[in-house]
Amino acid sequence: KAGVTQTPRYLIKTRGQQVTLSCSPISGHRSVSWYQQTPGQGLQFLFEYFSETQRNKGNFPGRFSGRQFSNSRSEMNVSTLELGDSALYLCASSWGRGQEDTEAFFGQGTRLTVV
Amino acid sequence: AQSVAQPEDQVNVAEGNPLTVKCTYSVSGNPYLFWYVQYPNRGLQFLLKYITGDNLVKGSYGFEAEFNKSQTSFHLKKPSALVSDSALYFCAVRGLYNFNKFYFGSGTKLNVKP
């Protein structure tokens, strides 16, 4: 059974550019969440998508957005990149069924470097 | 509000010795607690979880965790550490209403020396 797949693994972008990250969840999982990991702030929740709808949102500026497709694959977009956006972006998938849903499964992440 | 705290940035143990990585929690309602491990430049790997039931939870790679309600703790343990256990360990709690939102601790770097 394939795990969570994130592409690309590494990205280098210039300030002011925009970037799109992709996440394919485990087959059958309908919930996809995104996290930003930095040495200073640790792991922070960005947003969660379920059945193509954003269900939860963290405290990030509007430059961070996402979407989910009918096959549950998700993309995350960051516009007008800033140096502080350099981070490891992690995607997590789960069934999304509610309380009986427990652990989330994470991808290997996309390492974004903004120069 | 849901939160977890990992009081130690780093834990050093010798191979073969028991290890403990500490975590305390603060939650509303019943806690859904988790431990994840992260190797360099990799994502998070699930180790174990506490939902309800026995206070001693067994997980992957010989790890276990003890849930202590009176001390609001969920410490990760292993009887005999391996050098390959060296990694970054995260304690996490699920959101009370946002079930797919995890609140993570700051992480503890485990160093196991040969």
Side-chain angles (χ1 to χ4, degrees):
Chain A
K1 187 174 181 181
V4 181
T5 304
Q6 290 188 247
T7 57
R9 288 293 311 279
Y10 301 93
L11 270 176
I12 300 176
K13 291 288 187 178
T14 304
R15 269 184 304 175
Q17 287 186 315
Q18 75 166 15
V19 66
T20 299
L21 283 54
S22 179
C23 172
S24 293
I26 291 170
S27 178
H29 285 190
R30 294 169 65 190
S31 170
V32 174
S33 299
W34 289 89
Y35 291 81
Q36 181 196 64
Q37 184 179 18
T38 59
Q41 299 298 317
L43 281 153
Q44 293 185 288
F45 174 81
L46 280 155
F47 30 65
E48 183 220 356
Y49 284 86
F50 178 80
S51 291
E52 302 178 63
T53 301
Q54 188 181 85
R55 193 159 67 169
N56 294 300
K57 189 176 189 303
N59 295 323
F60 278 82
R63 299 185 298 107
F64 292 82
S65 63
R67 60 177 176 170
Q68 187 180 33
F69 302 95
S70 58
N71 62 357
S72 294
R73 189 177 72 85
S74 177
E75 288 183 346
M76 189 191 104
N77 184 275
V78 187
S79 63
T80 320
L81 283 165
E82 300 177 0
L83 294 178
D85 297 333
S86 296
L88 181 66
Y89 289 88
L90 293 166
C91 165
S93 84
S94 63
W95 293 104
R97 295 171 297 193
Q99 276 207 352
E100 66 269 26
D101 209 353
T102 53
E103 67 269 26
F105 297 89
F106 286 79
Q108 295 194 40
T110 294
R111 172 73 64 184
L112 172 65
T113 302
V114 182
V115 298
Chain B
Q2 316 291 80
S3 68
V4 291
Q6 294 179 243
E8 301 159 317
D9 290 336
Q10 186 166 300
V11 170
N12 299 312
V13 299
E15 187 175 31
N17 283 359
L19 70 87
T20 298
V21 182
K22 296 180 180 178
C23 172
T24 58
Y25 65 88
S26 175
V27 302
S28 300
N30 294 322
Y32 284 51
L33 296 162
F34 303 81
W35 276 101
Y36 284 85
V37 60
Q38 185 178 38
Y39 295 96
N41 294 315
R42 303 294 293 273
L44 303 178
Q45 294 181 28
F46 169 74
L47 280 179
L48 52 79
K49 64 186 177 187
Y50 172 83
I51 305 300
T52 186
D54 290 340
N55 291 338
L56 186 63
V57 179
K58 294 189 182 296
S60 307
Y61 313 118
F63 284 94
E64 57 190 27
E66 186 172 9
F67 173 74
N68 188 316
K69 188 173 183 178
S70 62
Q71 297 185 6
T72 61
S73 66
F74 188 56
H75 300 332
L76 181 70
K77 300 182 179 185
K78 189 174 182 181
S80 178
L82 300 172
V83 173
S84 57
D85 292 331
S86 298
L88 191 56
Y89 291 80
F90 289 96
C91 180
V93 63
R94 269 181 57 183
L96 179 60
Y97 302 110
N98 303 328
F99 303 129
N100 293 294
K101 179 176 181 178
F102 284 73
Y103 298 84
F104 287 90
S106 54
T108 298
K109 186 178 181 184
L110 174 65
N111 296 314
V112 182
K113 300 189 186 303

